[in-house]
Amino acid sequence: MDYLEHVRADSARLGAVARRGLDAPVPSCPGWTVDDAVRHVAQVYVHKIEVLKHGALPDPWPLDFSGLKTMEWYDETRAAIVAALEQAGTELPTWTFSPRDSTSGFWYRRMAHETVIHRIDVEQAHDAVTPIDPELALDGIDEVLYPTVAGPWWEEGDTKFPVDATVRITTPTHAWTLQATATTITVQQDTPSQLTPPTSAPPHHPPPTGDAAPPHQPPTTGDAAPPHQPSTTGDAASPHHPSTTGDPVVAGDAAVVVFGEPAQVYLWLWGRAGDEVVQASGDLDVLRAFRGRVSEATQ
């Protein structure tokens, strides 16, 4: 997949739509305006430029960007992140929050998804949503499930949603099975067999965390880093690896099964679409708790 081309195209679209008005509220991120979303993305780009330059987290961070004009700053950082990624290539050793991938290729993938999710934020604010590439959406489901949700972030039981159940996420061609406890989440990408949609859709219910702060606002890394970030050691992995961790789990044991088209499942996981865009069968209390856990991991 050409992640860099997605960064180019989606960042251009984000900027073009943002210019329709910076004061418009972002529906899926209560309290945010388009200006907040654009400045957030610019700060993320600056952070990743520094990570790629030094191979480590920037210090001090964050810097004071308050005096910069939003769109001028965004345009500069948009060009700079593309240039930084191109210069780094995909094999440069660097800091990441993935236990598996300590190469710059990780940031190619992460910046593609960072950009498209916030492109959707800005488009939703101006009622101008355009489609997400289906291949990118499938990859985005895989990325949010690992390392963001199923990384080693839960060992101390630091969650308000200590769900103990198996959850299955499915699309017409791919499926992921997650085993969650209070202290672990493991995930495996399953073979595309027996991918049947659930028999009924759940009633609409609000996200379990209520009016949470917008996802993607961690205080240190500037993008969707998990709540606990170990230093990255071990062998680097390709950004195209399947998200498989821990021992295999049995899909038939799933307490709840979620089914939808790739883009809808992707946006649902990121809190950019409501429960009405997916189908679900099984224990809806588990579903609510799982969504809460995802929300914790993506803040």
Side-chain angles (χ1 to χ4, degrees), residues 68-154:
L68 301 178
K69 294 182 179 180
T70 298
M71 293 312 303
E72 291 180 8
W73 182 36
Y74 175 76
D75 289 342
E76 291 173 1
T77 60
R78 172 180 171 256
I81 188 62
V82 170
L85 289 168
E86 286 182 319
Q87 182 175 353
T90 59
E91 301 298 329
L92 181 71
T94 190
W95 178 86
T96 76
F97 61 81
S98 172
R100 289 188 184 167
D101 189 352
S102 56
T103 72
S104 50
F106 174 89
W107 294 117
Y108 271 68
R109 189 189 199 198
R110 178 84 285 282
M111 291 300 94
H113 292 295
E114 177 79 12
T115 304
V116 71
I117 288 296
H118 291 304
R119 184 261 282 178
I120 292 293
D121 286 340
V122 171
E123 288 181 331
Q124 288 178 343
H126 288 290
D127 195 23
V129 176
T130 54
I132 298 174
D133 178 83
E135 184 182 7
L136 183 66
L138 278 171
D139 185 72
I141 296 169
D142 195 71
E143 192 228 24
V144 72
L145 294 180
Y146 185 88
T148 305
V149 173
W153 328 122
W154 310 104

Side-chain angles (χ1 to χ4, degrees), residues 210-234:
D211 292 335
H216 261 23
Q217 289 186 288
T220 55
T221 62
D223 65 337
H228 308 290
Q229 296 177 11
S231 59
T232 306
T233 58

